[in-house]
Amino acid sequence: MPIRQMKEGSEQHMVIKSQLQNTMNPLQKNPKTAQNGKGPPITEPQNNKIHNTTSSPPSRNRGRRRGRGGRKSDQGEAFMRPSSRPCTAASKPVIVAAENVINVSVSSSSCQLVAAGSGFPSSSKSLCFAPRPGYGQLGTKCIVKANHFLAELPDKDLNQYDVTVTPEVSSRSVNRAILAELVKLYKESDLGMRLPAYDGRKSLYTAGELPFKWKEFTIKLIDEDDVINGPKREREYKVVIKFVARANLHHLSQFLAGKCADGPQEALQILDIVLRELSIKRYCPVGRSFFSPDIRKPQPLGDGLEAWCGFYQSIRPTQMGLSLNIDMASAAFIEALPVIEFVAQLLGKDVSSRPLSDSDRVKIKKALRGVKVEVTHRGNVRRKYRVSGLTSQPTRELVFPVDDNSTMKSVVEYFQEMYGFTIKYTHLPCLQVGNQKKANYLPMEACKIVEGQRYTKRLSEKQITALLKVTCQRPRDRENSILQTVQHNDYSEDPYAKEFGIKISEKQASVEARVLPAPWLKYHETGKEKDCLPQVGQWNMMNKKMINGMTVSRWACINFSRSVQESVARGFCNELAQMCQVSGMEFNPEPVIPIYMARPDQVEKALKHVYHAYVNKLKGKELELLLVILPDNNGPLYGDIKRICETDLGLISQCCLTKHVFKISKQYLANVSLKINVKMGGRNTVLLDAISCRIPLVSDIPTIIFGADVTHPENGEDSSPSIAAVVASQDWPEVTKYAGLVCAQAHRQELIQDLYKTWHDPARGTVSGGMIRDLLISFRKATGQKPQRIIFYRDGVSEGQFYQVLLFELDAIRKACASLEPNYQPPVTFIVVQKRHHTRLFANNHKDRSSTDRSGNILPGTVVDTKICHPTEFDFYLCSHAGIQGTSRPAHYHVLWDENNFTADGIQSLTNNLCYTYARCTRSVSVVPPAYYAHLAAFRARFYMEPEMAENGGSPHKGGKGIREGGESGVRPLPALKENVKRVMFYC
């Protein structure tokens, strides 16, 4: 993706400074004094002005009423207004006049210096991530096992060759077949006994040089799939192999030893390709995973799909050296059925006698588009085609020209005369194969689905549940499956591993870990239990009251479920109101208007009816909460309700399913009451250390914690926008309440475009805006303080995008701060949160109940920052939650940038403790809450897209609104959230 370069004359400049002399962060912390709750000593940086602000403690019960902040300001005056409520820090906070400096630390070994004022470096290599500041010491030490297997580095030269195949081939499998034939014919002669590894595209790798620098080969490839018994088609290809470079394994060994900061990706890629070569020949490759119906019997998922089991494999650089990460995997594949049978399963009915409806045809077209089929009507000939569409007419009506004179012939006649094949189901449409200019018709009954095709479209809820059952393995079973996979792959006998001198251990890594203690949680003083220490990641609301329970005086209920009678709905609402009261809220037991019964197909009409009914009754006062009862299977209804309520009517809503209305569970009601309270602007619980100002690098000065995420459209949706969301804490020093903003951006764009933006206004000139700026202003209004430290948790970034995301988004954060006040540059810590990885941690002894939770998983709070982590960079694995079923997946946190100089213990403890503040349940969660909330907000915003756009994944309506000011060109903006919605945690 392109990096947005800073324009000439930009307010941002760059200077190169050592990380040990980071003048952006004068607040060098003494860990001991910080943990005792005392403010750290202030170190005045030379040649920098210090701005001191004095303030008084914030009111402890300010959360009892909903904040009503004013309208957003485009300029910085409101942000800089002196506060009437100063912070509670033990020492005076400071802001450094850094002259909009961005400090970029560079490696002396490999990174290039960048002149001041030149903007961001054009090469990502000029930026180096935060180095590991040491290892964590807090917590109870233990041993865990990881699904990493030590790989010995080869002592051979690795050589790269460029491969050109003529005529050009787009299929990797065909390319591989061509090179396999070449190796078979010329290994012992022209290739000098070398066994090369090939990436299926342009690169070939060998251990040692080939006898030539450049050579051309002629390869004839027989189409094995074309005919079973009989003459086969033969194609001729020219293959040119040319020497490119030699991989630097010394550089790799230096990197693994921690002696240089940047990893040689080329060498790692070669080793990864070598170890995948044999599995590609044995199994069906999908990304970095391999699947086969022989690994475990496929399980039916319904609608013509089945689950295949397989394994994931990747080579990784770690502190213990090279590591092979192996994990179990499963995926949905299309069952290799005759197309007629597939269609019958898909539609759930017999299609042999009845014609298809329009909706049936659309469903079949979506399911089969892009699927490869083979013909069955030509005896031994098994030619394969890819389905491009479905005819709108039945087979019996289809005719096509057979010569240049436009002589027409029906499809039925053609198949009878040409192949002696009688089409029985002439009422069904034909499959279209080939392109639109030259489409061919194939009767459904003459085709069978080719085996081994992964299903990439959206799965139904039923299919997802079935797939999860296949995937879900207890920790002990998953560990055994991984060990069996390693033994079955038998890397010691892998000819490619042997050729390149790579040795893989069959013993999984044993790693030192620590179990961090759970934090004490604070509840309201009027409850029987004023504080609580969670046990194994869980607690409950018994004898406790929310620390800031809100008041709900004006609420209404709308019932979209036909099976729920009014009396049942009224009883449920009464029970929920009582639970809210017991939990610490003030909740009026009576609704403003009687419970309204409505049909699901008239959602907008019903919501507006209720809206106008209470407006007329309340005479200007707003409705605080709308309860909504939904059918269990409600399709798009939930999304429509959220879209209309949050972007049109300005209503906070709480939806409840019919099954919960009939079966009134105390646990369910308690969880709903927690969600309602945070939607009203309250807080359920806070960390005791936050109340006592004892959180290092958070409690001492006003600190804002951001969470950010981008969700992308599902596979097959080629034009739907990606959705970015940013949330930010609003209640320092407690750091529990978050406000959120969302925006649409270009399809599959990972960089968040609207973090900071400027545009020209005819009246005001250049105007600044963006999500970071708006949330900083919101924090200032809510707390009376301006943030003097920023912690930014960024979700959903893959390793290959680390540099781009950090460069672009750190720049946006800097510009947003500078736009609010000259020289305002609070120090930033930028942390990437990853859940989509394949590292799993297992108890060292599964029989030891003291080292596992109820599900057999490792204990919540287990943290690992040694052995399997990065050789030099600041990362760690944290399993912050208790398992429920299956094997827990620890979150991987990678600190890319750290101007706050966190210790390992500091960031690990903060992250673990925050996981106990998630508002929707009384459990610690698996991902730090700001990142979790950002994910929820981005997912919620998908419902805000116009219905036709959301359903079809197509382009916006013609004649719609213009492009958002300063927004991504060509991307239709989301409708704006109402002000009373964006102030609270609406996405909960």
Side-chain angles (χ1 to χ4, degrees), residues 851-865:
S851 65
T852 62
D853 61 21
R854 287 183 192 173
S855 66
N857 280 289
I858 55 174
L859 293 170
T862 301
V863 63
V864 169
D865 61 1

Side-chain angles (χ1 to χ4, degrees), residues 118-329:
S118 65
F120 269 113
S122 59
S123 168
S124 62
K125 290 280 180 80
S126 304
L127 179 75
C128 291
F129 301 142
R132 192 179 300 282
Y135 297 96
Q137 302 299 321
L138 290 180
T140 305
K141 292 186 178 179
C142 63
I143 300 293
V144 296
K145 291 176 288 185
N147 57 338
H148 285 244
F149 300 84
L150 185 63
E152 282 187 32
L153 200 63
D155 57 0
K156 301 184 180 183
D157 288 334
L158 302 185
N159 297 272
Q160 180 181 353
Y161 292 82
D162 182 74
V163 175
T164 305
V165 178
T166 310
E168 190 175 342
V169 176
S170 59
S171 166
R172 280 196 180 194
S173 59
V174 174
N175 274 333
R176 289 185 193 282
I178 294 167
L179 263 292
E181 184 69 13
L182 188 152
V183 171
K184 178 181 168 185
L185 294 173
Y186 298 105
K187 179 185 175 184
E188 295 181 5
S189 54
D190 297 63
L191 300 184
M193 293 302 293
R194 300 287 181 211
L195 180 62
Y198 178 49
D199 71 353
R201 293 284 187 222
K202 295 287 291 179
S203 297
L204 190 78
Y205 304 100
T206 63
E209 292 184 355
L210 293 174
F212 55 83
K213 296 290 184 184
W214 182 97
K215 197 169 185 68
E216 181 180 293
F217 298 87
T218 300
I219 301 298
K220 293 181 179 179
L221 193 67
I222 295 170
D223 191 344
E224 296 290 344
D225 293 326
D226 198 27
V227 182
I228 295 175
N229 295 308
K232 301 183 179 182
R233 289 188 300 174
E234 189 177 79
R235 292 181 180 174
E236 187 173 288
Y237 299 93
K238 292 275 191 294
V239 181
V240 175
I241 298 177
K242 183 174 70 173
F243 177 79
V244 175
R246 184 175 291 112
N248 190 344
L249 286 185
H250 175 70
H251 188 178
L252 177 57
S253 62
Q254 291 288 97
F255 171 67
L256 293 171
K259 295 179 180 177
C260 70
D262 60 323
Q265 293 303 317
E266 297 83 3
L268 289 169
Q269 185 180 357
I270 293 170
L271 298 176
D272 204 44
I273 288 167
V274 169
L275 289 173
R276 290 167 53 81
E277 191 74 40
L278 188 60
S279 293
I280 285 173
K281 289 176 167 57
R282 288 178 174 175
Y283 308 114
C284 174
V286 178
R288 290 185 176 272
S289 297
F290 301 94
F291 297 94
S292 169
D294 301 325
I295 292 176
R296 207 193 305 171
K297 186 181 177 183
Q299 299 296 309
L301 299 177
D303 296 350
L305 303 185
E306 59 186 9
W308 282 21
C309 289
F311 64 94
Y312 167 92
Q313 173 181 298
S314 175
I315 197 99
R316 300 191 60 77
T318 66
Q319 292 169 32
M320 68 179 184
L322 276 182
S323 160
L324 189 66
N325 181 202
I326 300 283
D327 191 24
M328 304 315 295

Side-chain angles (χ1 to χ4, degrees), residues 673-684 919 984-985 988:
S673 69
L674 295 176
K675 294 171 73 172
I676 290 173
N677 190 48
V678 294
K679 287 178 181 181
M680 295 295 100
R683 286 180 295 210
N684 299 330
V984 297
M985 294 166 70
C988 282

Side-chain angles (χ1 to χ4, degrees), residues 664-678:
I664 301 178
S665 153
K666 294 288 184 187
Q667 182 65 55
Y668 172 76
L669 293 176
N671 284 349
V672 173
S673 69
L674 295 176
K675 294 171 73 172
I676 290 173
N677 190 48
V678 294

